[in-house]
Amino acid sequence: MNETLLQTLFKKYRSQTLSEEERELFFSLLGNPEYKERVEELIRELWKDTEHFENAPLTSAGKKRIASVMARIESPERRVKRRFPAFWAAAASIALGFGLAILYYAQQVKTPGPEAPHVTEIKTNYGEKKKITLPDGSLIYLNAGGVLRYANTYNKQNREIELIGEAFFEVAPDKARPFVVRSQELRTYVLGTSFNVRAFGDDDHLFVALITGSVRVDHDSSSSVLKPGEKINYNKLTKESSVLPINDKDYWGLWRKEVLAFNGQRFAEVASLMEKWYGVKIHVNNRSLLNRRFTGEFKDLPINKVLDMLSKSSSFSYRIEKNQVYIK
């Protein structure tokens, strides 16, 4: 039963859709000697899937650690047959795909090398926002229901962070160390600029909206360079993206000014944003309402006032019971 669970959690870890409880369970199973063989099988499968890569960035310490792990898993005969460049390419891909899990596993089998970097994690609850200053002076405004992670090597070896949720960035220039945002399937590279990333785990679409400067957004095998006033819309289901003009650049930064804004969004998206904004759960029983689109800006208003205004244009009713909202 737990081996099946481990497989499921492994897939969710790679897609960055693990909840905090699932993440803790995943790492506990990963370090359990009882599942050592199954963990090795998962790594071996990932190893096979990545043999076609030729180059990927990886530190020498990371190479040593992953090489030691793979040396324990692969038979001597199989290791001899591998070409050296392909080995590091696959190992690098494993490091990128398996993330902290491969480092954790490497520690469990007591491989040599330095300890894994310490990771700082900053969260915001629903209804909460935070302004974060990174070691290089870059500013990040983290919206409600968000998670931001970066290693203690930030601004030393690199400037890479991981984002789940929505954040607005004002990046300090540094040509030697580009700023990189990992947000599920997207990688956003920038030297110095301001932009907004929206990448909630429960949304089907990921967005990067550029306000000033220039960024490159990578996903799968595609790459797009954005100009100021452009956004990329990535569909997680179809794995396709499109670059579109931003009709209102101010819209993407309004949430930092405590303004709840909708810009032609379906009510299903509006409800999701309101849940994070107010820290409530919204139940929509009126199915025809979900695809209706709404535009508006609401500053410093309680949820009942916002719902009153929205209901005038769509004729729906609602009731609020503590942190539960019922719409029909």
Side-chain angles (χ1 to χ4, degrees):
M1 177 65 72
N2 279 345
E3 289 192 5
T4 302
L5 177 60
L6 179 62
Q7 174 81 22
T8 301
L9 294 176
F10 171 67
K11 291 180 179 179
K12 295 186 71 174
Y13 185 90
R14 292 194 67 192
S15 62
Q16 298 186 31
T17 57
L18 283 175
S19 66
E20 289 304 313
E21 292 182 358
E22 289 173 330
R23 179 181 291 272
E24 292 181 8
L25 177 58
F26 174 60
F27 280 112
S28 67
L29 292 176
L30 196 66
N32 191 330
E34 182 180 350
Y35 306 111
K36 179 176 179 291
E37 292 184 2
R38 184 63 187 129
V39 171
E40 291 176 352
E41 289 176 5
L42 292 175
I43 297 175
R44 190 181 294 109
E45 290 173 11
L46 189 58
W47 170 270
K48 291 177 181 178
D49 290 342
T50 56
E51 286 183 333
H52 63 282
F53 288 95
E54 292 186 358
N55 287 295
L58 190 65
T59 64
S60 58
K63 291 179 181 179
K64 290 179 181 179
R65 175 161 293 179
I66 295 170
S68 181
V69 173
M70 294 310 302
R72 291 173 178 265
I73 296 173
E74 296 253 280
S75 66
E77 179 181 354
R78 183 174 176 82
R79 290 201 306 272
V80 169
K81 293 181 180 179
R82 291 199 178 277
R83 293 188 302 112
F84 189 74
F87 173 86
W88 289 126
S93 182
I94 288 173
L96 294 173
F98 214 174
L100 295 177
I102 185 68
L103 296 178
Y104 183 92
Y105 180 74
Q107 289 178 333
Q108 297 306 306
V109 297
K110 302 187 184 303
T111 59
E115 294 183 0
H118 171 72
V119 176
T120 297
E121 181 175 271
I122 301 172
K123 297 181 180 180
T124 50
N125 297 319
Y126 284 179
E128 179 187 24
K129 303 174 188 65
K130 288 183 180 179
K131 179 181 178 181
I132 303 155
T133 302
L134 296 179
D136 64 338
S138 295
L139 295 178
I140 300 179
Y141 301 84
L142 186 62
N143 205 349
V147 180
L148 179 74
R149 301 187 184 100
Y150 62 92
N152 59 354
T153 55
Y154 180 90
N155 205 37
K156 298 175 182 177
Q157 299 177 5
N158 57 49
R159 294 199 299 168
E160 182 169 327
I161 68 164
E162 177 186 1
L163 170 70
I164 300 174
E166 182 173 20
F168 189 92
F169 298 84
E170 295 178 359
V171 179
D174 187 342
K175 293 183 178 180
R177 286 168 293 193
F179 190 90
V180 182
V181 181
R182 294 186 290 113
S183 47
Q184 299 185 57
E185 287 92 338
L186 302 186
R187 299 290 183 273
T188 303
Y189 298 83
V190 59
L191 293 177
T193 187
S194 59
F195 60 101
N196 195 91
V197 176
R198 180 178 294 169
F200 289 106
D202 55 354
D203 287 350
D204 293 335
H205 292 260
L206 309 178
F207 295 93
V208 177
L210 180 63
I211 309 303
T212 63
S214 177
V215 299
R216 188 185 85 231
V217 182
D218 293 351
H219 65 84
D220 305 313
S221 58
S222 299
S223 181
S224 302
V225 177
L226 299 184
K227 300 176 182 178
E230 290 183 336
K231 66 180 178 183
I232 188 169
N233 179 350
Y234 176 80
N235 189 317
K236 291 160 61 175
L237 302 179
T238 64
K239 307 297 183 182
E240 296 178 346
S241 66
S242 56
V243 176
L244 304 169
I246 299 175
N247 296 326
D248 185 359
K249 286 197 295 185
D250 292 337
Y251 161 76
W252 292 95
L254 285 175
W255 63 265
R256 293 186 298 133
K257 303 174 183 178
E258 300 298 328
V259 177
L260 176 63
F262 313 126
N263 190 15
Q265 289 153 290
R266 296 183 305 112
F267 190 77
E269 300 172 68
V270 169
S272 178
L273 289 173
M274 291 180 67
E275 286 181 333
K276 298 175 178 65
W277 192 272
Y278 291 106
V280 299
K281 178 63 179 177
I282 298 178
H283 308 270
V284 182
N285 296 322
N286 185 348
R287 310 305 296 179
S288 64
L289 179 63
L290 293 176
N291 288 321
R292 294 188 184 181
R293 296 186 178 274
F294 293 82
T295 297
E297 298 178 9
F298 309 92
K299 182 174 176 61
D300 297 330
L301 290 180
I303 188 171
N304 63 304
K305 295 295 184 182
V306 175
L307 289 172
D308 285 342
M309 294 181 185
L310 295 178
S311 65
K312 289 180 180 179
S313 63
S314 296
S315 301
F316 65 82
S317 60
Y318 70 90
R319 75 176 192 276
I320 301 175
E321 298 179 3
K322 295 184 178 179
N323 64 338
Q324 304 291 313
V325 180
Y326 300 90
I327 295 177
K328 61 180 181 179

